[in-house]
Amino acid sequence: QVQLVESGGGLVQAGGSLRLSCQASGTIFTINTRSWYRYAPGNERELVASISGRGTITYADSVKGRFTISRDNAKNAVYLQMNSLKPEDTGVYYCHVETWRDPFDVPYRYWGQGTQVTVSS
């Protein structure tokens, strides 16, 4: 069983920065993708950024150029550096891991408990 613990959220003024961390415990298979999602009031869940085990990175258009996702496999962690924050970045940010024992298997999926990010104008 994998557990994910996020940290680093908080209240920041527009234009500020925050760095989210997601620490994983348990066994994550070599084939995996780690992602950050967010839920904002009145909006649907949004994929913010993802990074595969091979280092392929995807960003939502709304955060390109401002957010940077990275991973440290030795620490079993993934990070989200958020710069130039805007009020519309406000939401609960969740860490997500998708991992495959075998590429042809159904993946295992895990979620963290979420961390609140609030950006004031």
Side-chain angles (χ1 to χ4, degrees):
Q1 184 71 14
V2 172
Q3 290 187 327
L4 305 175
V5 178
E6 300 104 330
S7 61
L11 173 63
V12 65
Q13 288 188 332
S17 299
L18 285 173
R19 185 175 188 249
L20 304 184
S21 299
C22 174
Q23 181 64 54
S25 61
T27 300
I28 296 176
F29 303 117
T30 302
I31 306 172
N32 68 86
T33 296
R34 308 194 190 209
S35 306
W36 289 96
Y37 286 80
R38 68 185 177 195
Y39 285 92
N43 294 342
E44 296 183 352
R45 182 183 65 188
E46 179 185 18
L47 172 63
V48 176
S50 67
I51 182 167
S52 74
R54 295 186 175 185
T56 301
I57 292 175
T58 302
Y59 294 105
D61 288 341
S62 59
V63 307
K64 284 180 180 176
R66 300 188 298 121
F67 290 12
T68 302
I69 189 171
S70 61
R71 59 191 291 164
D72 186 331
N73 291 331
K75 295 182 178 180
N76 211 2
V78 64
Y79 309 98
L80 185 67
Q81 177 66 44
M82 305 186 294
N83 298 328
S84 302
L85 283 162
K86 304 176 181 180
E88 50 264 42
D89 294 319
T90 294
V92 180
Y93 284 69
Y94 293 88
C95 179
H96 177 257
V97 169
E98 199 169 28
T99 185
W100 291 259
R101 181 190 300 270
D102 180 280
F104 301 103
D105 280 346
V106 174
Y108 295 85
R109 297 185 174 95
Y110 305 98
W111 291 93
Q113 83 286 355
T115 184
Q116 176 70 44
V117 171
T118 303
V119 184
S120 63
S121 57

